[in-house]
Amino acid sequence: MPTLLLKNIHTLVTMDDQRREITDAVVLIRDNVIEAVGKSADLPTTADEVIDLRDHVVLPGLINTHHHMVQSLTRNYPPGQNAELFGWLQSLYPVWAKLQPEMIYVSALTAMSELMLSGCTTASDHLYIYPNGCKLDDQIQAATEIGIRFHASRGSMSLGESKGGLPPDRVVEDEEFILRDTRRLIEQYHDAKRHAMMRITVAPCSPFSVTQDLMREAAALARSYNVRLHTHLAENQNDVDYSQQMFGLEPADYAQDVGWVGDDVWHAHCVKLTDHGIGLFAHTHTGIAHCPSSNMRLASGIAPVRKMRDAGVRVGLGVDGSASNDSGHLLAEARMAMLLQRVMGDPAAMSARESLEIATRGGAQVLGRDDVGYLAAGMSADLIAFDLNNIAYAGGLIDPVAALLFCSPTSVNYSLINGRVVVREGQLTTIELPKVIQRHNQFSLQLMRGDD
């Protein structure tokens, strides 16, 4: 099996159990797995391929636990620029109703490229709208081509306006079809093995877009196949009010009532999770995807991440949809997560290293993975490297690890996923990005202008 040696690393952030940071470090990779990490003096100096990473900080690939990649087509949509969650969704549902299969594919390539260039190596996406023959398979094709480690979520909406839901009736699906298609995707694509590049998640969209019956049936389906469950919860006050009015329950109790708590479940946002809900999630090992920029953009509020972490809740990081964040830069999201916990008045509420931990080990835990999230022998060879000679870090090298978040976020100089170099000297190696961007922009204008 081929070997790859990363040598002369300025600082290697392992995120291992001891949280070691090794200077003048080496990583030896065999095939797609890390064989050894350590000091340069203690490890081999040759391999089939050698990459010199002097003046680089290397750390585990960042893990994105919540996204809507298709929304990269509708960034900066004027009718939604100043709306809260429900109004923003209602402005965009008619636009998304015009999606075509190639748009799903191209938008996924675009969003995955942005993630990978910002340090993401494992990504989960939540696609929940399937008009005009669109399928989750369109995203899966993109992930396979670009080389990202991917958790594809079969989202769904079944509760239209006529039945008390938020989305228009024309964008919802029949519940029997949803369950049947979800079963098909699991059987066709899900890989439960260690180091898997593709997994499927069962993911009805939200309390205001699916029925309680679908939530319960989806949970039973997921557990019969031993796959994970994901949805939105307690994103803003309107979301909370809907749960209380429709179900007579606060969001966390609604989740428990439909079987959506446990170590195989993670919820996006949870901005309005109460102390009771935090305690329930901690006790049941239920995970949370924290999406700070989207929560600010839509005026949803600040998720109590400090309180969640202190209670023992599993927390990962998500960029959320590119139409509610208008970006997919995961390192920038880690910076925002650090800063946002400080806004309430405690400058020590979250450190740079803790935010990076949430973006790596935290995300792996939320996604139920024991093969990514830190660097050690036997782990998947997912690593990223930032060049410290970047102007963004000038004057900040007294602590190069913290500089990644305290200074302006940059793009990676190198990225490896599953032992494969997917970013080399700042450029993607697996696709022709300029062509993808051109096609993506054509589709975007077509959608938002209403062109035929």
Side-chain angles (χ1 to χ4, degrees), residues 83-102:
E84 57 78 44
L85 174 64
F86 282 17
W88 173 84
L89 283 168
Q90 288 169 324
S91 75
L92 280 161
Y93 284 140
V95 180
W96 296 334
K98 297 178 290 183
L99 287 165
Q100 299 291 332
E102 190 183 354

Side-chain angles (χ1 to χ4, degrees), residues 60-123:
L62 308 182
I63 297 171
N64 184 42
T65 62
H66 186 66
H67 204 346
H68 304 291
M69 292 179 178
V70 73
Q71 292 179 16
S72 61
L73 290 163
T74 53
R75 290 199 239 232
N76 191 35
Y77 183 55
Q81 286 178 3
N82 302 311
E84 57 78 44
L85 174 64
F86 282 17
W88 173 84
L89 283 168
Q90 288 169 324
S91 75
L92 280 161
Y93 284 140
V95 180
W96 296 334
K98 297 178 290 183
L99 287 165
Q100 299 291 332
E102 190 183 354
M103 295 177 179
I104 303 292
Y105 166 74
V106 171
S107 63
L109 283 179
T110 301
M112 291 168 184
S113 298
E114 188 173 14
L115 284 172
M116 290 164 67
L117 289 168
S118 71
C120 178
T121 56
T122 299

Side-chain angles (χ1 to χ4, degrees), residues 68 71 89 93 96 126-130 155-157 205 232:
H68 304 291
Q71 292 179 16
L89 283 168
Y93 284 140
W96 296 334
H126 191 186
L127 182 64
Y128 58 77
I129 188 166
Y130 298 91
S156 55
M157 297 191 295
C205 184
H232 297 85

Side-chain angles (χ1 to χ4, degrees), residues 206-430:
S206 61
F208 50 82
S209 61
V210 299
T211 67
Q212 291 169 286
D213 286 343
L214 180 61
M215 291 294 285
R216 294 188 178 102
E217 290 294 325
L221 173 64
R223 287 170 177 140
S224 73
Y225 282 96
N226 196 29
V227 301
R228 300 183 79 75
L229 301 93
H230 180 54
T231 192
H232 297 85
L233 195 76
E235 186 168 352
N236 73 357
Q237 190 57 48
N238 285 337
D239 192 357
V240 174
D241 292 344
Y242 184 93
S243 289
Q244 291 174 333
Q245 291 166 11
M246 297 299 292
F247 316 123
L249 298 167
E250 69 169 79
D253 290 333
Y254 160 83
Q256 184 177 39
D257 183 62
V258 293
W260 278 68
V261 294
D263 61 6
D264 58 352
V265 182
W266 86 101
H267 296 274
H269 302 295
C270 294
V271 173
K272 298 297 183 179
L273 206 63
T274 63
D275 289 350
H276 163 71
I278 291 172
L280 174 63
F281 279 26
H283 175 71
T284 57
H285 308 295
T286 304
I288 290 171
H290 175 44
C291 305
S293 293
S294 173
N295 296 157
M296 288 187 288
R297 159 76 149 79
L298 297 175
S300 298
I302 303 171
V305 172
R306 177 73 276 147
K307 186 179 289 187
M308 293 172 179
R309 295 263 298 174
D310 290 345
V313 176
R314 299 173 177 180
V315 180
L317 193 63
V319 297
D320 198 18
S322 293
S324 66
N325 182 339
D326 303 297
S327 172
H329 197 296
L330 192 53
L331 184 68
E333 207 66 24
R335 182 177 194 265
M336 198 62 70
M338 175 188 74
L339 297 178
L340 197 56
Q341 291 306 300
R342 300 175 175 217
V343 168
M344 302 307 291
D346 180 4
M350 183 168 290
S351 70
R353 284 170 172 80
E354 184 176 9
S355 190
L356 287 172
E357 181 180 312
I358 291 171
T360 52
R361 289 183 69 110
Q365 190 176 38
V366 163
L367 295 183
R369 301 200 69 129
D370 65 355
D371 51 0
V372 295
Y374 65 94
L375 304 179
M379 298 294 286
S380 299
D382 291 8
L383 310 91
I384 54 176
F386 293 91
D387 186 354
L388 293 175
N389 294 313
N390 192 299
I391 192 172
Y393 306 129
L397 299 186
I398 189 68
D399 184 350
V401 178
L404 297 178
L405 292 197
F406 277 102
C407 302
S408 296
T410 65
S411 296
V412 294
N413 203 35
Y414 282 86
S415 176
L416 280 72
I417 301 178
N418 210 40
R420 178 189 187 189
V421 179
V422 295
V423 178
R424 189 184 296 269
E425 296 182 356
Q427 302 297 315
L428 280 166
T429 65
T430 53

